[in-house]
Amino acid sequence: MRKPLILITNDDGVNAAGISALTNAMARIGDVVVVAPDRPRSGKSSAITPDKPIRLSLRKEYENVKIYACSGTPTDCVKMSINQILDRRPDLLVSGINHGPNTAISVIYSGTMGAALEGCINDIPSIGFSLCHYECDSDFEQAATFAESMARKVLENGLPKGVCLNANIPGRLPKGVRLCHQTDGKWVEEFIKRTDPAEHDYYWLSGHYENNEPENEHSDEWAVANNYIAVVPCKIDFTDYDFLNNYKKMNYDF
Amino acid sequence: MRKPLILITNDDGVNAAGISALTNAMARIGDVVVVAPDRPRSGKSSAITPDKPIRLSLRKEYENVKIYACSGTPTDCVKMSINQILDRRPDLLVSGINHGPNTAISVIYSGTMGAALEGCINDIPSIGFSLCHYECDSDFEQAATFAESMARKVLENGLPKGVCLNANIPGRLPKGVRLCHQTDGKWVEEFIKRTDPAEHDYYWLSGHYENNEPENEHSDEWAVANNYIAVVPCKIDFTDYDFLNNYKKMNYDF
């Protein structure tokens, strides 16, 4: 039987520790093709690059693993893989392991999840993995072990059309896995304002996350805060069907 | 009574014709602050700029209108407005008028809609407007007239928490407005491969849209193809609650 083909990408870049751990884990399951940004591309969401040429280079090839670097965004990497690199449809796409959480509304800014959503758009079962740990010496091995187990289950069962998974893994040994919803809350931005030598102002994006439901045991923030792996099923259809079904009653007749 | 405060942004940049038409229309309703990218930023999705300093400059000020240019993405523009520019919460955010459609899955790549989603995250009633017309001489006036009418309705009624609107306006005189769902389909990418003088390859993102439900009268693609204004209510909560409620039955117990 042919081994499954697994496409790997991330937003921390091809040289990140997280993608290396994920690559080793996936190479135990199938044939692996890594197509990842040539530099860190955090916060790129589902951005694409229509206005600049994209470069691609084969960086490494060994056993059942091929590693490419791409000058585009994580989403570009997925598009490029499907269209220019792979000779068959991948059986699975995994993105990450991101260095830092992509819980709650961060899913919308995340390049890691942008890539997973792109896989999903292309009907490839897709999972984004993030490690909820910020230190330079983060250990991705435990997260990679979980990723391997989850990848095997998704390869076995598939995923429904239009749904991908967002897995956030706590930094400490997790107590288990919880299926969760995306926590309600937002980033409260506090830009840091500075002045350059020419006396022009510039700003650094900063801020902290404000959780509107810290006690909700079904939210992904609660799960990781309580040392569980949080898995949120994410849709690529943004439509609010409740609104759609009720708008006439709601006086929204445009 | 104090006039409503309307925040305007886009992804085609502060000098685009679409934002100028939208600004004129909104200035008939309230006090207007425009904070838009200093250059075209199409396809930026909900990307943010955590890794570079952001610049901001006041470009123009007249009557009830102030116009700023920002070096960041559309999402950065919204964050910057709320945190550094506005002295009160805007009553409405409008984004656009985008030059070209943001129907179907394009919503996920669109900077116009990234900005509207960001407004929604910050509990500001938000609408993205796109004109389904590609020519250089596109006339945004008719779309701006519709935007004005829709803005007045949303100012009057508000929008439910967590929902913003994606309005796509056909290039010809529309027959009416249809509330729609996001069309199921995807972009089939065909990268154009070229070789530079140093004999290295590079790629341009290209492609065409493949519609999985061309006959569905409730889809936004059908609406604009049939000369209706398509309005899709979009959620910032990506969670698939159907999956969440049924995953145990579906053998997805991770």
Side-chain angles (χ1 to χ4, degrees), chain A residues 79 83 109 118 158 189 252, chain B residues 79 83 109 118 158 189 252:
Chain A
K79 289 180 185 292
N83 189 254
Y109 309 116
E118 185 63 25
E189 316 301 336
Y252 283 112
Chain B
K79 290 180 183 292
N83 189 255
Y109 310 115
E118 184 63 25
E189 316 302 336
Y252 283 113

Side-chain angles (χ1 to χ4, degrees), chain A residues 239, chain B residues 100-107 132 134 166 168-170 172 178-187 208-232:
Chain A
T239 311
Chain B
N102 279 314
T103 45
I105 197 61
S106 297
V107 69
C132 303
Y134 283 111
N166 180 20
N168 279 276
I169 302 157
R172 296 166 298 160
R178 288 177 77 96
L179 265 276
C180 302
H181 68 256
Q182 176 187 321
T183 308
D184 175 29
K186 62 169 186 264
W187 284 89
H208 65 274
Y209 179 72
E210 220 172 61
N211 189 340
N212 290 340
E213 47 174 357
E215 305 303 326
N216 191 330
E217 297 185 10
H218 303 291
S219 70
D220 59 354
E221 281 283 323
W222 187 94
V224 296
N226 288 275
N227 216 21
Y228 289 95
I229 294 168
V231 177
V232 177

Side-chain angles (χ1 to χ4, degrees), chain B residues 10-23 37 40 96-99 140:
Chain B
N10 75 347
D11 74 356
D12 291 327
V14 69
N15 297 321
I19 202 167
S20 166
L22 191 57
T23 302
I97 302 169
N98 191 64
H99 199 174
F140 289 93

Side-chain angles (χ1 to χ4, degrees), chain A residues 165 177-181 218 229 231-233, chain B residues 243-244 247 252 254:
Chain A
L165 302 178
V177 182
R178 289 177 77 95
L179 265 275
C180 303
H181 68 256
H218 303 290
I229 295 168
V231 177
V232 177
Chain B
F243 185 104
L244 210 52
Y247 81 98
Y252 283 113
F254 304 110

